Amino acid sequence: MAALKFCANISWLFTEHPDFSQRIYAAASAGFQAVEAAWLYDSDLSELQKAKEATRVEVVLINTPPGDIKAGDLGLGAVPGRELEFRKGLDLTLKHAKALNCKRIHLMAGRIPVDAHRAAIAREMEDVFVQNLNYAAGILAKEGITGLIEPINTRITDPRYFLDSPHQAAAILEKVGKSNIQLQMDIFHWQIMDGNLTKNMHKYFPIIGHVQIAQVPGRNEPDSDGELCYRYLLNTLEKLGYQGYIGCEYKPLEEELGW
């Protein structure tokens, strides 16, 4: 079995450095050979390229833009009436992905509109998401890039996020039917959403394109005190033959404690 590979999520780690290019250097100094990030778009792209080339760190994953965060956006992929904005955001993400040789893009679904009820709008949002994912699949396939969709728990993290279970995500992927659109498994979210981690890891492993880890319930280091035994979970991934990177997307405890 190949050894598991880990990457630093520099949206969560090394945040004492204000710029993402600086965080790439910090991650490399800490021993990471790869990084991932949510939104790099406020950083100078040429500086990001210089940091990547100087450190030889691989950029594994970036997200599509969230939209207007101050207005309550967190992705646009499934939001009705925002299709043009989603496509423009995808163009921006693709520009960065190509410049940084990043081969995975998280296509963020977005939130249930504030004035809508989940049950009433779910079908429309799913239809929009499927259409946008099909569009993205064609664009990304030309560049050899994989698109990912990530369910986020609505119990703790984001009550209005549209994509809120691995089962819902898998059903959407089946409707899309494109091999370069896959499932992103954040074990923190999956535990809170559904539990049954062993069963779900085995069930959905064929469509999992990326993995992220953090402890439950505090989203701290995987080896900190909490509900999850990562020795077992990582061993399960290894036995399943997972060969991709595992993103370290957690809040360092020392930052919370003010150390």
Side-chain angles (χ1 to χ4, degrees):
M1 293 184 291
L4 295 175
K5 303 181 296 183
F6 297 87
C7 63
N9 188 301
I10 55 175
S11 294
W12 291 75
L13 303 179
F14 309 109
T15 56
E16 65 273 20
H17 302 285
D19 193 82
F20 280 100
S21 59
Q22 297 172 318
R23 296 181 197 179
I24 292 175
Y25 286 108
S29 295
F32 285 100
Q33 297 180 350
V35 299
E36 62 179 28
W39 309 302
L40 297 163
Y41 309 112
D42 289 335
S43 293
D44 185 277
L45 183 54
S46 64
E47 291 300 317
L48 293 172
Q49 287 177 301
K50 289 178 184 177
K52 178 185 181 301
E53 292 167 4
T55 60
R56 298 185 180 180
V57 162
E58 181 179 353
V59 178
V60 171
L61 168 74
I62 56 176
N63 293 3
T64 50
D68 187 347
I69 292 180
K70 292 182 179 179
D73 291 337
L74 193 67
L76 301 172
V79 183
R82 308 289 293 276
E83 292 87 347
L84 181 58
E85 290 174 79
F86 171 79
R87 293 187 179 193
K88 289 181 178 178
L90 180 61
D91 289 342
L92 177 64
T93 310
L94 188 59
K95 174 185 175 181
H96 281 69
K98 290 169 66 175
L100 298 170
N101 195 29
C102 176
K103 295 300 183 182
R104 295 168 196 81
I105 291 175
H106 172 197
L107 305 162
M108 298 196 72
R111 290 170 167 156
I112 305 289
V114 175
D115 58 350
H117 293 285
R118 183 179 293 271
I121 201 171
R123 181 62 181 272
E124 182 184 359
M125 292 189 73
E126 180 177 295
D127 289 344
V128 170
F129 202 24
V130 168
Q131 291 172 11
N132 280 333
L133 291 175
N134 272 306
Y135 171 81
I139 298 295
L140 299 182
K142 297 175 183 177
E143 307 296 338
I145 293 174
T146 297
L148 299 161
I149 63 172
E150 178 190 20
I152 293 175
N153 82 82
T154 54
R155 292 178 177 174
I156 296 176
T157 302
D158 195 328
R160 288 179 27 238
Y161 203 75
F162 168 68
L163 195 63
D164 67 347
S165 84
H167 318 299
Q168 177 196 17
I172 288 172
L173 289 176
E174 187 173 359
K175 289 187 176 182
V176 174
K178 300 294 192 300
S179 62
N180 71 324
I181 305 294
Q182 298 179 355
L183 181 59
Q184 182 168 316
M185 178 179 71
D186 186 319
I187 293 178
F188 170 85
H189 290 303
W190 283 35
Q191 167 69 3
I192 296 170
M193 286 185 289
D194 191 64
N196 295 316
L197 287 173
T198 302
K199 179 180 178 181
N200 285 334
M201 287 167 72
H202 281 81
K203 180 177 181 179
Y204 296 121
F205 184 75
I207 59 172
I208 291 173
H210 189 63
V211 175
Q212 294 173 325
I213 58 175
Q215 186 57 269
V216 175
R219 189 144 207 141
N220 301 121
E221 288 89 339
D223 61 351
S224 61
D225 290 340
E227 298 176 14
L228 299 177
C229 174
Y230 269 102
R231 178 179 296 179
Y232 169 78
L233 294 170
L234 294 176
N235 187 51
T236 300
L237 279 174
E238 198 168 27
K239 287 181 178 178
L240 285 169
Y242 181 69
Q243 297 181 0
Y245 276 97
I246 297 172
C248 298
E249 185 178 289
Y250 59 79
K251 295 181 291 185
L253 270 171
E254 62 182 38
E255 290 185 8
E256 293 188 356
L257 298 172
W259 294 350

